[in-house]
Amino acid sequence: MIRAFLFKMEDEEGMKQIIAMGGGGFSMEPDNLLLDRYVLAQVPTEMPKVCFIPTASGDADNYIERFYHSFRTLPCRPSHLSLFNPNFHELASYVLEHDIIYVGGGNTRNMLVLWREWGLDAILKEAYARGVILTGLSAGSNCWFAEGITDPINAPLYTLRGLGLLEGSHCPHYDGDSERRPSYQRLIQSGEAQSGYAADDGAALHFIDERLERVVSSRETARAYYVKQEGNMVNEQEMPTEYLGDEGAYLR
C-alpha cells in the first residue's frame, strides 16, 4: 500500500492534527474501516504506532478485543492504554512514543475525571503539540473541544468541559437519535453551549493546526454541520463532505 499523505506543507513535522468522528470506525462499523484507514493514511510512515485509549468504556475487554481484531488487519502497530489495569511503566513516555492516539466511546465525564487524576490530559496536550495525531469517536471526539455534548442514561443532553484543544462545542452522533439535533440547537440557543460542530455517525472532522481542513465520511449520507446562534435563531450550516468510497481517492 502506498500511503497518501494528503496535506503537503513545508513543515510537516510541526503539523498538529485532530480527526474527530461523530461515530463510526471499527467499533460502530466493523465491516467498514474507511475512517480508520483515513486516519492511518495521515502518518507518513508505513507502519504507524496506534494507541487505543478505552477509558470511557471502563476499559471494557470486548472493546479492546474489537480494536485489536480490526487494527491487526490494517497496516499499523496497534497497542492500548489501560488506566484501570495499568499496562505501562511511565505514562508520558508510553503515550508519546505513538504516532496516533485513538480514544474510544463511552462516558465522557468519567473519562475526563480519570484522565485529569492521572495527568493524562496534560500528556495528551503535549502529544498534540509534538505532532501526534489525536482521533476518536463519541467521547473520543467530544474530549478535544472546549465543550462536548453528552447524554447520560435516561437524562437530557448537557454540556461539559473538554480539553480545549479545539474551540467551540461538539455534538457527535448528530443523526444517532431523534433528540440529538434539537437538543444541541436548544443548548446553543440558551447559551448553555458555544457554537460548534455537529457530526453524524460516519462523518469525521479533520482539523490541522486548529483549523477545519475537510470533512470526510464512511457513508454517503453522513454529514457534518456548523451550528451557531444568529439573533434569536440557531443557524445550522451543512459543510461539504467528501465520501471516502471504496478506499479510493484518499487512501492510495
Side-chain angles (χ1 to χ4, degrees), residues 102-171:
Y102 191 130
V103 179
N107 189 303
T108 308
R109 180 182 290 278
N110 289 352
M111 177 185 76
L112 290 171
V113 168
L114 195 56
W115 282 6
R116 287 165 179 143
E117 177 67 22
W118 278 85
L120 181 55
D121 56 334
I123 294 169
L124 290 172
K125 290 177 182 178
E126 174 65 19
Y128 177 63
R130 294 191 186 193
V132 176
I133 294 175
L134 307 179
T135 190
L137 76 158
S138 192
S141 59
N142 262 338
C143 60
W144 312 124
F145 291 80
E147 295 176 347
I149 307 302
T150 190
D151 57 340
I153 296 174
N154 300 320
L157 273 74
Y158 66 93
T159 306
L160 51 72
R161 179 171 59 92
L163 298 185
L165 296 174
L166 298 172
E167 294 182 352
S169 64
H170 175 55
C171 181

